[in-house]
Amino acid sequence: MPTVSMTVNGKAVASDVEGRTLLVDFLRENLRLTGTHVGCDTLQCGACVVHVNGDSVKACSMLALSAEGAEITTIEGIANPDGSLSVLQRAFQDHHGLQCGFCTPGMVMSAADLLKRNANPSEREVREWLEGNLCRCTGYHNIVKAILAAAAEMRGEKIAAE
Amino acid sequence: MPRDEAVASGGIGKAVKRREDVRFLTGKGTYTDDMNRPDQTYCVFLRSNVAHGQITRVDTAAASAMPGVVRIFTGEDIAAAGLGGVPCGWEITSSNGEKMKEPAHPILAQGKVRHVGDPIAAVVAESREAAKDAAEAIGLEIEEMGAVVNMTTAIQGHGAPVHDEAEDNLCYDWDLGDKDATDAAFANATHVTTLEFVNNRMIPNAMEPRAAIGEYDAARDQHTLYTTSQNPHVIRLLMGAFVLNIPEHKLRVMAPDVGGGFGSKIFHYAEEAFVTWASKEIGRPIKWTAERSESFVTDAHGRDHVTKAELAMDSEGKFLALRADTLANMGAYLSTFAPCVPTWLHGTLLAGQYAHPAVHCRVRAVFTNTVPVDAYRGAGRPEATYLLERLINKAAQEIGLDQVEIRRRNFIRPDQFPYDTPVALQYDTGNYLATLARALEMADYAGFNARKAESAARGKLRGIGLSCYIEACGIAPSSLVGALGARAGLYEAASVRVNPTGSVSVFTGSHSHGQGHETTFAQVVADRLGIPYESIEIVHGDTDRVPFGMGTYGSRSLAVGGTAIVNAVDKVIAKGKKIAAHLMEASEADVVFEDGQYKVAGTDKAKAFGEVSLAAYVPHQYPIEDIEPGLEETAFYDPKNFTFPAGSYLCEVEVDPDTGKIEVLGFWAADDFGNVVNPMIVEGQVHGGLVQGLGQAFIENCVYDENGQLPSGSYMDYAMPRAGDFPSFEVDTCVTACTHNPLGVKGCGEAGAIGAPPALVNAVVDALSAYGVDHIDMPLSPQKVWATIQAAKPAMAAE
Ligand code: FES
Ligand code: FES
């Protein structure tokens, strides 16, 4: 079995994997980072989104071996260094942007990438960015609201939670 | 902490942030597939790719010898073990007095397969990959029989029936209401409006696929099942008693974090029974996790009605009677709740918000070679609402009345409650004029014509659609549903354990899979006890920790489960008064409980809640002769009636006549859910329901072809609503408190999915009314809308 090594949430990891093992299964089963979820088998749902070298990627869309040498960040690795919720995570809580929580890790990881690229997105831009992330619970309304509020807070503005 | 502060930190009515969110936002949730048990094996099912056929060969020899395979089970093993089939929880009686047809539903197919996805064999292996490889290597031959797919031809009995015991594929032929009075009213009507339509089939698609882990501890003779369920106690009861013959004390069912359900995780499924049983057979834990493509062909689907509805009116547009005739798809087997969905959850709601003098409804339930159909968010009530609210708009169009005015003329008025409908329900309270007024105001209905003109100037067709829904929630009074065919009661249970130093653990039979019970139930208890919200813990989802429960569905958790908690809390307070009376040397009759303190009325003597609970566990100075130590109480609450949430929804759309594309411009929801515990969570429930309802009307569609294959069997082909499909919503609540539960609550989980579809379709039909269009079946794809416009054009030109 080949060996793969990468950095996950700041820690160097190495493990034997089968050639067909997907990155998402490697994270969940080999590293037991189960915050990254699997919601489909057709690359559609986005429950598995992580950051690979800083960009959001569906972790079911690549083999673990293709992540050789990469820097991976998962939902377990994006809180503030002291363990408190990041601005974006807190905005999801403040604006009730999650219900069952299953889509949430992918939503947060995807939104974090958006806000890195666009500090001041419009509602339309947020909705279009989330094209690849399905949520069956929230109707997206509060997810969009949370992301807009986080963007405002990160820009130094403050939007009151209702 | 004084009560005011306790309430400020998290009492009733506060938009308290959810405590469950932190674990979900940091990746620390524990869903079933996140767990691995020591020495675990993996299970993959070989499923039929044929809709209807006779299995002529299942050869597992080669597959069994493959690396990593532990054992392969087939239907023969299940039969040899004498296991029961998957049971149905309801029994409907046909109009002629015959019981419904209830064919066996084996855990693994016995001889025949009856839908694509029917499980034939189960491979247990050291890894998921090994199990998959072996499943592919099983030699399988199925002699195909013609598939029964179309309900209308199915009941004519062409070809081989789905089940031999139902030659015409009919499960039951049921009716409700006074047929003679209805027929008489139709005979005297000045106008009759008729609508024939299809309520399209849905695939629930909770984002977490179903999963189950079965585990057997031989040393203790103890089974454990971890499963993605909305009601672990119900699974324990159904599976233990009817399938595997395991008594409750030897079977623990846990539903940990569950990623959405929407009805599809109520039901008892074959896979969870299989892993529970087979884990004992092989002596190792077995885990099964559905792949999404497997969810499409195994999770119970929703809706799927073909209906003819008629409305009789007088010359003023007053309703005289309603008549409905529905074919309801059951799929290949009866799922847990399936028979009651088109009957007691549909026929009984056909009065809607209106004072119909007479209603008659006939429902024929039909077996087909498709996945079982059962409750999906709203369950029967969306179908009833769609029937009524589409029919009323068509009637308004025909007689030239505004969609608002025709409803106003027929609403049950606020002074008519309690109101007995002609279809077996008594509405306790409501104010339909109030929710209507609020929706009209939010949507600026009065300004619509100006907006329509503005759209017209741009070559676009603008429409606005109204829908006024009612639902029966808080399911359900046990004796009533027993008389209607339920094989269990639908009460709820709760235990409240006051710990020695005054913190509180609440054990509830309701299950939370997105609803936020861990937060709202704690708010309810904080409010009742006047103690800090933070010192209350809500425990759910484990049959070993929670005494009993019927689970979460039908918007029942707060109205029924919440009331059980309130009743248990009240028992705690009553016992606490006795203890406090002793401590304060007062008579029990003089002790009152307020602001988190026991006080002797008219004096300044008081004991804090925590002092009394400590005395209960350290009973030195204690009325030990009269009362037992400890402070823990259990309550079972059986609701006296259903609750009746109701509301008015408005939807505004713009249609491009050149492409048929619809844009939803706005959606306004005014709901009456009774009292609201956490407005933030209630709004979230409405948003989610709305998108599921709008999804049905707009893009979602489960399609079977004539061979019983499912072309819409993946996210490539089944259109799930995405963030870009709809705008943000405006939602608000009006309150008439439920009269028969102590919280005055009605439930909010399903409203959006119930009220939204007719609002959207009414809006599109309104936009196209200039073309003479009076109906389009869901979903309103651009292609269908465009074709409707094209078909209408020559007629317009001819006028
Ligand atoms: S699991 Fe669905 S996109 Fe990756
Ligand atoms: S919160 Fe449940 S799927 Fe998004």
Side-chain angles (χ1 to χ4, degrees):
Chain A
M1 238 187 258
T3 302
V4 68
S5 44
M6 60 185 92
T7 307
V8 178
N9 299 330
K11 273 196 234 122
V13 299
S15 178
D16 292 345
V17 291
E18 276 191 56
R20 60 177 164 178
T21 301
L22 299 173
L23 177 61
V24 68
D25 293 324
F26 177 75
L27 294 170
R28 287 180 56 80
E29 298 299 333
N30 296 49
L31 305 183
R32 297 302 292 151
L33 291 171
T34 55
T36 302
H37 295 154
V38 178
C40 73
D41 43 15
T42 52
L43 313 180
Q44 298 277 310
C45 76
C48 60
V49 171
V50 298
H51 293 179
V52 178
N53 298 326
D55 293 334
S56 58
V57 169
K58 288 178 172 170
C60 71
S61 72
M62 69 190 277
L63 296 171
L65 287 175
S66 331
E68 174 64 36
E71 293 263 356
I72 310 284
T73 308
T74 69
I75 189 70
E76 288 91 345
I78 66 143
N80 294 327
D82 67 356
S84 61
L85 297 183
S86 66
V87 169
L88 180 59
Q89 287 169 306
R90 194 162 31 72
F92 267 72
Q93 181 178 34
D94 286 348
H95 297 277
H96 191 28
L98 63 152
Q99 292 183 22
C100 78
F102 196 79
C103 72
T104 308
M107 288 286 179
V108 170
M109 298 312 285
S110 186
D113 192 17
L114 166 67
L115 297 187
K116 208 173 57 194
R117 291 160 196 259
N118 180 353
N120 192 7
S122 66
E123 174 175 344
R124 204 17 53 202
E125 286 170 324
V126 172
R127 286 182 178 275
E128 266 152 30
W129 177 266
L130 295 179
E131 227 260 299
N133 289 83
L134 295 177
C135 174
R136 195 55 152 171
C137 297
T138 63
Y140 304 101
H141 180 114
N142 283 340
I143 292 177
V144 174
K145 200 164 145 193
I147 295 170
L148 290 171
E153 187 174 338
M154 288 155 84
R155 291 194 308 271
E157 300 161 22
K158 190 88 187 146
I159 291 185
E162 263 163 34
Chain B
M1 186 188 298
R3 185 170 186 285
D4 281 358
E5 274 175 52
V7 171
S9 80
I12 287 177
K14 291 272 172 220
V16 179
K17 308 296 173 226
R18 300 197 325 166
R19 48 172 60 162
E20 38 275 87
D21 289 357
V22 174
R23 67 177 189 268
F24 296 137
L25 283 164
T26 54
K28 297 293 190 313
T30 309
Y31 301 88
T32 301
D33 188 56
D34 297 342
M35 289 188 280
N36 283 335
R37 305 299 302 159
D39 201 29
Q40 167 183 297
T41 61
Y42 296 81
C43 173
V44 165
F45 290 90
L46 172 68
R47 297 182 181 279
S48 178
N49 55 8
V50 162
H52 195 192
Q54 192 75 39
I55 304 170
T56 51
R57 188 175 75 100
V58 186
D59 184 351
T60 59
S64 298
M66 287 173 66
V69 173
V70 175
R71 201 160 142 191
I72 299 179
F73 296 84
T74 66
E76 280 177 26
D77 298 303
I78 300 295
L83 303 186
V86 180
C88 179
W90 279 74
E91 182 175 63
I92 296 297
T93 304
S94 288
S95 311
N96 66 4
E98 275 178 34
K99 300 287 184 203
M100 71 180 190
K101 300 278 181 4
E102 194 174 358
H105 181 185
I107 291 176
L108 295 175
Q110 312 274 327
K112 262 189 196 175
V113 288
R114 293 189 174 84
H115 67 87
V116 170
D118 218 356
I120 295 166
V123 180
V124 180
E126 300 292 343
S127 70
R128 205 169 279 168
E129 291 72 22
K132 265 183 134 168
D133 291 345
E136 274 173 30
I138 294 175
L140 176 66
E141 278 168 28
I142 300 174
E143 202 172 290
E144 279 196 55
M145 300 157 75
V148 178
V149 178
N150 180 302
M151 287 195 282
T152 313
T153 50
I155 57 172
Q156 289 155 10
H158 299 315
V162 180
H163 297 281
D164 294 339
E165 53 265 67
E167 269 175 35
D168 52 3
N169 295 303
L170 260 191
C171 175
Y172 56 74
D173 182 349
W174 171 94
D175 80 327
L176 179 69
D178 187 335
K179 183 169 190 308
D180 294 340
T182 304
D183 290 346
F186 269 89
N188 292 325
T190 5
H191 188 88
V192 172
T193 294
T194 304
L195 182 67
E196 294 187 45
F197 64 91
V198 173
N199 197 299
N200 48 329
R201 185 170 176 127
M202 297 285 97
I203 301 183
N205 275 307
M207 290 317 301
E208 178 206 23
R210 284 190 300 115
I213 306 172
E215 186 170 13
Y216 178 67
D217 178 347
R220 295 187 306 130
D221 183 27
Q222 185 73 34
H223 293 266
T224 303
L225 169 67
Y226 303 86
T227 187
T228 49
S229 174
Q230 302 178 212
N231 34 223
H233 286 89
V234 174
I235 301 305
R236 187 183 64 170
L237 177 64
L238 289 174
M239 183 176 83
F242 299 103
V243 189
L244 303 182
N245 196 17
I246 304 170
E248 278 99 335
H249 68 296
K250 291 291 178 194
L251 176 57
R252 178 181 192 178
V253 178
M254 276 184 271
D257 287 328
V258 173
F262 316 110
S264 69
K265 291 173 182 168
I266 299 172
F267 324 123
H268 177 39
Y269 287 96
E271 296 88 358
E272 55 200 0
F274 175 78
V275 297
T276 305
W277 170 74
S279 65
K280 181 177 177 184
E281 295 297 302
I282 67 159
R284 292 172 65 183
I286 303 177
K287 178 182 193 172
W288 167 76
T289 305
E291 298 193 336
R292 178 59 60 182
S293 45
E294 199 175 9
S295 307
F296 273 96
V297 294
T298 63
D299 293 3
H301 293 175
R303 317 283 189 257
D304 204 350
H305 285 192
V306 175
T307 296
K308 179 179 180 187
E310 297 162 283
L311 182 63
M313 290 175 289
D314 70 10
S315 56
E316 305 294 306
K318 277 275 226 182
F319 304 160
L320 301 175
L322 178 86
R323 189 151 59 195
D325 190 349
T326 289
L327 295 178
N329 207 334
M330 294 285 106
Y333 305 102
L334 293 180
S335 176
T336 312
F337 267 42
C340 91
V341 173
T343 50
W344 297 109
L345 291 176
H346 172 250
T348 51
L349 272 304
L350 287 176
Q353 300 187 357
Y354 312 100
H356 291 279
V359 176
H360 182 256
C361 165
R362 178 188 189 193
V363 177
R364 281 167 290 174
V366 185
F367 292 114
T368 58
N369 291 118
T370 64
V371 172
V373 180
D374 204 330
Y376 167 59
R377 201 170 193 166
R381 293 152 291 178
E383 296 90 316
T385 299
Y386 186 77
L387 184 162
L388 204 49
E389 294 302 298
R390 274 297 303 128
L391 185 63
I392 289 172
N393 265 47
K394 184 160 187 267
Q397 202 175 347
E398 286 175 3
I399 64 175
L401 258 185
D402 180 75
Q403 58 184 341
V404 174
E405 181 54 26
I406 192 170
R407 287 175 171 81
R408 278 205 187 110
R409 286 188 193 176
N410 288 285
F411 273 159
I412 298 163
R413 295 185 317 274
D415 61 2
Q416 287 177 288
F417 294 98
Y419 182 85
D420 290 305
T421 75
V423 271
L425 295 178
Q426 186 184 75
Y427 300 165
D428 62 332
T429 183
N431 187 342
Y432 309 138
L433 287 164
T435 39
L436 175 63
R438 184 70 190 109
L440 295 173
E441 178 189 19
M442 284 195 290
D444 182 22
Y445 189 76
F448 173 73
N449 282 337
R451 299 195 293 275
K452 187 180 170 83
E454 185 274 325
S455 293
R458 286 184 286 109
K460 300 282 170 61
L461 305 166
R462 204 170 181 116
I464 190 163
L466 173 63
S467 139
C468 301
Y469 76 91
I470 188 164
E471 47 173 335
C473 295
I475 293 173
S478 292
S479 59
L480 175 62
V481 293
L484 303 182
R487 288 167 166 158
L490 292 175
Y491 49 83
E492 194 49 85
S495 280
V496 172
R497 176 182 302 158
V498 184
N499 300 306
T501 59
S503 68
V504 175
S505 305
V506 177
F507 302 86
T508 170
S510 300
H511 186 274
S512 187
H513 33 279
Q515 296 87 345
H517 296 166
E518 292 166 33
T519 300
T520 40
F521 288 179
Q523 289 180 254
V524 167
V525 175
D527 200 87
R528 201 91 178 165
L529 288 178
I531 63 170
Y533 161 83
E534 292 74 16
S535 60
I536 299 155
E537 180 77 3
I538 305 297
V539 178
H540 64 97
D542 182 348
T543 59
D544 267 15
R545 295 189 72 194
V546 176
F548 201 68
M550 298 309 293
T552 290
Y553 41 82
S555 307
R556 70 193 298 271
S557 292
L558 188 58
V560 189
T563 301
I565 293 172
V566 165
N567 289 355
V569 165
D570 287 352
K571 288 187 189 180
V572 162
I573 293 171
K575 181 170 177 182
K577 278 186 186 171
K578 288 194 172 72
I579 302 167
H582 183 89
L583 295 176
M584 296 187 287
E585 295 175 340
S587 135
E588 187 193 330
D590 293 336
V591 176
V592 293
F593 183 71
E594 51 185 41
D595 302 338
Q597 291 195 313
Y598 296 92
K599 298 175 181 165
V600 179
T603 74
D604 57 1
K605 283 195 202 171
K607 286 281 172 195
F609 181 73
E611 290 179 88
V612 170
S613 62
L614 189 63
Y617 287 94
V618 186
H620 294 157
Q621 192 207 347
Y622 192 82
I624 200 98
E625 303 288 313
D626 301 327
I627 34 174
E628 298 166 14
L631 196 51
E632 172 166 348
E633 298 288 348
T634 296
F636 281 67
Y637 170 71
D638 197 57
K640 294 174 195 67
N641 190 358
F642 294 93
T643 62
F644 297 98
S648 281
Y649 290 177
L650 279 159
C651 177
E652 195 161 318
V653 299
E654 201 171 68
V655 180
D656 183 337
D658 298 329
T659 62
K661 201 168 171 298
I662 297 164
E663 192 184 346
V664 178
L665 302 172
F667 200 100
W668 302 270
D671 293 289
D672 179 356
F673 298 134
N675 294 329
V676 169
V677 171
N678 185 322
M680 175 191 82
I681 288 178
V682 166
E683 283 186 15
Q685 289 292 310
V686 175
H687 297 152
L690 289 178
V691 166
Q692 272 174 308
L694 292 172
Q696 175 177 20
F698 198 52
I699 49 177
E700 288 182 52
N701 204 23
C702 171
V703 180
Y704 276 98
D705 69 16
E706 72 271 23
N707 300 316
Q709 296 292 327
L710 183 68
S712 57
S714 84
Y715 287 149
M716 322 281 274
D717 306 291
Y718 184 90
M720 287 280 283
R722 289 168 196 267
D725 289 330
F726 301 109
S728 290
F729 308 118
E730 244 186 274
V731 306
D732 198 7
T733 53
C734 306
V735 177
T736 62
C738 173
T739 60
H740 55 80
N741 65 50
L743 295 167
V745 297
K746 300 182 182 179
C748 65
E750 297 160 293
I754 293 172
L760 176 60
V761 178
N762 285 345
V764 172
V765 171
D766 182 51
L768 303 185
S769 58
Y771 291 89
V773 172
D774 61 8
H775 181 68
I776 311 182
D777 267 337
M778 301 185 285
L780 304 180
S781 64
Q783 186 263 346
K784 201 189 282 179
V785 171
W786 181 83
T788 305
I789 293 171
Q790 297 311 308
K793 267 183 181 165
M796 272 241 297
E799 265 172 30

